[in-house]
Amino acid sequence: MRICKKILSSALIIVFLLSSLSTALPINAEIIEGVGDYKVNWKLDTETGTIYFSGNGSISRFGEWNKYQNSIKKVIVGSDINKIWEGAFSYFTNLSEVEIPDTLTDIGFMAFYDTPFFNSLPVKNHQICLGDRLLGVEDFCGSITVNQDIKHICGGAFSDNVYITNITIPNGVVSIGDIAFEYCTVKNMVIPDSVTSIGEGAFRFCPYLKTVTLSKNITRIETDAFWGCNELESMVIPDGVTTIEYWAFCGCDNLESIYIPSSVSLIREDAFEECPKLTIKCYENSYAHQYAVENGIPYRLLDVSVKEKGMQFIIDNLEAVKSIRYAYGEYNNERGIKYGEDAVSHSGKTLRNKGNSCTLQFPKPGLVSIVITYNDGSRDFYKYDVIKSEPTVTREGNEITFGNLTDLKVLRYAKGEYESSYDIKRAEGAVAISGKTLDSDAYTVTLEPGTYTFCVQYNDESYNYYTFDFKG
């Protein structure tokens, strides 16, 4: 650690000689500078109580500048700082102003707790926010929904909230910080696909957490992520995850099954320590298969493979499948799916009569719960957010342009008003543009005056209908 003090001697001499200017600067005013342990430079102006942080590291709670905490009134964080640690400025009794760049999203638990600045932050729906970052939650009981304008749930935001029974995270949240839900009493969690990172210990010691649906866009299960979640029974690791870190599921006494995709290429040796009931579901010769063998963990090799595609869910290798069910909504057991909204059931025997692969074609967008039951009685559960493929449409006069046609099956149109693609196809003068022959992801046509109906059909069987009136 290096500290240097630059006494403003010239200014002090002038003050001493010209007593009429004696109020311009305190006699003991000085600039104090230092270099922290985490690639951070800091500079404290004791006259104004302002401390500046620069560099490309993180601000810890152990920097030598902490000895001046009672003098610090304002914190300015440089644009390259990447993290503020847990409790870094907590209990700074005179800290009333903080400037943080929008790029800094990793703010630790209680980083500004019990300071005039923290106490002045806006509270909306019991949530304490700093811009689009959720710093914490007031004492609250029951169900809570994260504000729609929140992009980042900071470290420890919900930690120790023992009376919150349900937390809804809206699509649009991008990151979840370290120990964000530690010791929380929620039972079920759904992490939307907008989330790309979940911090260390995010769900550590959640005593009643039973089910978690993870974002499909994360790539890591971080250290301690689910440590001590004793009620957690099963888990599906999303395809695309590459790493399961230290003690990620340590002490999950009732964790019976976990699906690990072939994308995982690193699992730490003690990731599943003290999980006595665990069976790993994986594919033959995958890293997870090798890991289970080497660490003496029971495993079951999966015969089926699944693929998500817009309005479709494709299942291959049906030899061991007894049945497939799905229903709209979120369900965590086969009974819920069986009696759920728009429930559909398929016999494995019937499906195999048509081949060794099946495609579930969904009629509308929305969250679908799927269960595949095998002949040995085991089950795999999936949650799929069905998304309809849609073109972009722009119009200028009698010219119409459809974009986003990369996965187009066929674009049809004809003069007149029609209710189906079949009717358009049979109409006089109908035009059909095949996606196989389209040489770009857009199609433009200029039409004569009249009323026209268009159907844009994608390979996932998403149908989009448009009617336009073109004047002369």
Side-chain angles (χ1 to χ4, degrees):
M1 179 65 67
R2 171 176 61 86
I3 297 180
C4 59
K5 298 184 178 181
K6 297 180 179 180
I7 307 299
L8 305 179
S9 56
S10 298
L12 294 178
I13 292 172
I14 294 173
V15 171
F16 179 78
L17 294 176
L18 303 174
S19 60
S20 62
L21 300 178
S22 60
T23 59
L25 197 70
I27 293 177
N28 294 322
E30 57 186 349
I31 299 294
I32 306 172
E33 295 183 70
V35 177
D37 295 334
Y38 298 94
K39 299 180 181 179
V40 166
N41 303 312
W42 58 272
K43 180 187 296 186
L44 173 62
D45 183 338
T46 60
E47 178 187 4
T48 63
T50 300
I51 187 168
Y52 306 82
F53 291 93
S54 60
N56 59 357
S58 57
I59 302 173
S60 79
R61 61 185 302 179
F62 307 111
E64 189 139 358
W65 44 267
N66 263 269
K67 69 172 69 172
Y68 306 102
Q69 63 176 319
N70 292 331
S71 301
I72 294 175
K73 301 176 182 178
K74 181 176 181 179
V75 170
I76 299 177
V77 179
S79 59
D80 292 329
I81 298 295
N82 55 51
K83 181 176 182 177
I84 299 178
W85 282 31
E86 175 181 341
F89 301 100
S90 59
Y91 306 107
F92 278 37
T93 55
N94 292 305
L95 179 59
S96 59
E97 188 175 355
V98 176
E99 293 182 9
I100 298 177
D102 292 339
T103 53
L104 178 60
T105 59
D106 196 349
I107 300 175
F109 181 43
M110 298 177 67
F112 302 101
Y113 183 72
D114 203 14
T115 63
F117 166 73
F118 184 81
N119 296 333
S120 69
L121 288 173
V123 179
K124 179 181 178 183
N125 300 328
H126 305 280
Q127 299 166 55
I128 303 166
C129 304
L130 177 60
D132 62 1
R133 291 155 287 198
L134 174 59
L135 292 187
V137 178
E138 293 183 324
D139 289 340
F140 181 75
C141 181
S143 298
I144 191 168
T145 298
V146 174
N147 297 338
Q148 285 289 338
D149 54 350
I150 292 298
K151 299 295 183 186
H152 309 279
I153 298 175
C154 294
F158 290 91
S159 183
D160 293 332
N161 278 274
V162 297
Y163 299 110
I164 294 181
T165 57
N166 183 65
I167 300 170
T168 300
I169 303 174
N171 193 48
V173 171
V174 175
S175 66
I176 295 173
D178 296 347
I179 63 170
F181 304 102
E182 183 186 48
Y183 291 109
C184 221
T185 54
V186 294
K187 295 181 180 180
N188 306 292
M189 287 288 294
V190 176
I191 309 300
D193 290 340
S194 57
V195 172
T196 58
S197 67
I198 301 175
E200 295 185 6
F203 300 94
R204 186 169 58 189
F205 303 125
C206 289
Y208 305 116
L209 187 64
K210 201 174 186 70
T211 66
V212 179
T213 302
L214 293 171
S215 163
K216 296 182 180 68
N217 290 307
I218 61 171
T219 58
R220 301 171 62 86
I221 307 297
E222 293 288 359
T223 299
D224 298 357
F226 297 94
W227 188 345
C229 293
N230 291 328
E231 294 300 311
L232 193 63
E233 295 179 350
S234 65
M235 173 68 70
V236 174
I237 304 298
D239 290 335
V241 169
T242 61
T243 304
I244 300 176
E245 280 291 357
Y246 297 102
W247 307 296
F249 295 91
C250 178
C252 292
D253 296 341
N254 290 299
L255 183 62
E256 295 182 356
S257 70
I258 185 167
Y259 163 73
I260 302 179
S262 298
S263 60
V264 171
S265 58
L266 175 63
I267 306 174
R268 301 296 184 182
E269 183 177 354
D270 47 11
F272 298 101
E273 189 173 303
E274 299 179 20
C275 295
K277 300 180 180 180
L278 179 63
T279 296
I280 291 178
K281 296 179 181 180
C282 56
Y283 295 101
E284 189 172 8
N285 299 322
S286 66
Y287 182 91
H289 180 198
Q290 177 185 344
Y291 174 88
V293 172
E294 292 178 353
N295 289 276
I297 299 175
Y299 63 89
R300 180 167 71 81
L301 298 180
L302 297 174
D303 296 316
V304 305
S305 62
V306 300
K307 180 181 179 182
E308 300 167 353
K309 183 181 179 182
M311 301 284 284
Q312 299 173 335
F313 191 86
I314 303 167
I315 305 169
D316 291 320
N317 302 326
L318 301 176
E319 289 89 349
V321 172
K322 180 179 181 180
S323 66
I324 299 173
R325 299 181 188 272
Y326 75 81
Y328 279 84
E330 184 177 354
Y331 304 99
N332 298 306
N333 56 66
E334 187 171 15
R335 178 179 175 81
I337 295 174
K338 182 178 180 180
Y339 297 104
E341 179 188 349
D342 297 329
V344 174
S345 178
H346 296 287
S347 162
K349 182 178 180 180
T350 301
L351 292 172
R352 285 191 295 275
N353 288 336
K354 300 178 182 179
N356 200 32
S357 176
C358 76
T359 298
L360 303 182
Q361 183 68 53
F362 303 113
K364 60 184 179 182
L367 180 64
V368 174
S369 297
I370 305 165
V371 57
I372 301 175
T373 303
Y374 298 91
N375 292 323
D376 65 1
S378 60
R379 296 172 177 82
D380 286 329
F381 290 88
Y382 301 89
K383 304 286 178 62
Y384 179 43
D385 192 10
V386 180
I387 300 174
K388 182 179 180 180
S389 300
E390 295 179 313
T392 59
V393 183
T394 56
R395 176 179 174 180
E396 186 173 347
N398 283 20
E399 182 181 272
I400 195 86
T401 298
F402 293 91
N404 190 31
L405 302 181
T406 302
D407 198 38
L408 177 72
K409 183 174 183 178
V410 63
L411 184 156
R412 301 183 189 276
Y413 66 92
K415 195 171 186 179
E417 295 188 40
Y418 305 97
E419 295 184 352
S420 70
S421 177
Y422 179 73
D423 291 338
I424 297 174
K425 181 179 180 180
R426 296 179 60 195
E428 183 179 353
V431 177
I433 307 300
S434 170
K436 294 180 179 179
T437 60
L438 197 64
D439 57 3
S440 71
D441 65 350
Y443 174 74
T444 300
V445 60
T446 302
L447 297 169
E448 298 295 326
T451 299
Y452 292 81
T453 303
F454 289 79
C455 175
V456 181
Q457 179 185 355
Y458 287 84
N459 286 317
D460 68 353
E461 301 302 324
S462 294
Y463 286 81
N464 302 270
Y465 292 94
Y466 305 89
T467 301
F468 298 101
D469 290 317
F470 296 98
K471 297 180 180 180

